[in-house]
Structure formats: structure tokens, C-alpha cells
Amino acid sequence: VIGVVIGKTDVRGFPDRKNIGSERYTFSFTIRDSPTYFINVSSWGREEYVRALSESFRVGDCVTIENPLVQTKEAEREEKFNPVTPSCYKLLLSENHSVVKTSSCYDMGINLLSLLHLPVKDPQDYYSLGDIVANGQSLDGRILNVLAAVMSVSE
């Protein structure tokens, strides 16, 4: 699978239920290869493997993923922590079988960088901040998709 990384989480550690006293590590990222299709990718394993993999690329890099495990996603659980994707599958990377290679999208001869700026949600499924201010009372308790831009960052 070849795609541009459009999102990425930080590495997190969790107690390993199988080996009491040790931890397993994970991080996820989302890749896109067309305006319509993108998929979530997760990696679990030893801290050294997961941290090294996470540090090997960043959002905007093109990656080639070899030998991922393709799994059916559990929509309610998966999409709590990852972007909602149009696919009913997810990719799982394993230390022993999977390889992630990073390269410039230009070197690959593919124009994937334009996909970085496309929304991952239906353009009709957003509320602007103005809509929320104007209709806040009627939206109380609802989960909304918000389309906004960061104007500045400061202390």
C-alpha cells in the first residue's frame, strides 16, 4: 500500500495483560491514496520498535507499507480513537512481518501531496463556529463536526 500520511497519534504505553508488569506500546496513523480512500494503520509491540517506527516518518510523508495484516474494524470502538474511514478494514503492522518505507512523494512520481488538504468528512457535514454560536441552544448535547482554522498560536 502506498499513500501519504494525513494524520498520526503519539506513542502510548499500556499494561500488557498477558505479561503482568510489562507494557505494550502503540501508535496509529492514517494514510490516503486518493481523494476518496484512506485507511487507519496501527502498530503494537515493544517500546523500541513502536517508537522507532513512529519517529521514522511524519504527517505529509509518503509511505509504502509491505505485509500489513488486514483486519475488519470494529466501527464503534475503532472510530472513538481514530478518524472515521470509508473502509470497513484497518491495517495492523507487526514487528516480525511488516515493513514501512518512507520516501518523498516527488521521488515516487506520484502526486499525493494534494491529498493532505482534503477534508476527511463530507463537506456538508460540518458546522462553522458561527453556526454553533448562533444555534448553540438547539445543538446542546449533540456531537458535531467543526470546520475551523487556526489563525495564530502564541503563549
Side-chain angles (χ1 to χ4, degrees), residues 52-151:
L53 182 59
S54 175
E55 291 168 3
S56 71
F57 61 88
R58 61 182 197 253
V59 171
D61 285 346
C62 286
V63 294
T64 301
I65 300 172
E66 298 175 1
N67 297 322
L69 177 63
V70 179
Q71 292 183 322
T72 304
K73 70 181 177 186
E74 301 168 42
E76 279 187 26
R77 203 181 78 162
E78 305 285 338
E79 292 171 351
K80 244 186 211 177
F81 306 106
N82 292 305
V84 176
T85 62
S87 173
C88 57
Y89 300 101
K90 64 179 179 175
L91 302 179
L92 184 63
L93 302 178
S94 94
E95 184 171 3
N96 297 327
H97 303 302
S98 307
V99 176
V100 177
K101 297 176 183 172
T102 308
S103 59
S104 162
C105 291
Y106 297 115
D107 292 344
M108 298 179 104
I110 309 170
N111 189 11
L112 295 174
L113 290 179
S114 63
L115 303 175
L116 268 173
H117 305 293
L118 294 178
V120 293
K121 292 278 193 177
D122 177 353
Q124 305 305 312
D125 191 25
Y126 288 109
Y127 283 83
S128 69
L129 295 176
D131 291 340
I132 294 170
V133 169
N135 302 305
Q137 205 60 29
S138 64
L139 300 173
D140 190 28
R142 293 187 50 202
I143 296 175
L144 306 174
N145 295 316
V146 177
L147 181 59
V150 176
M151 290 179 54

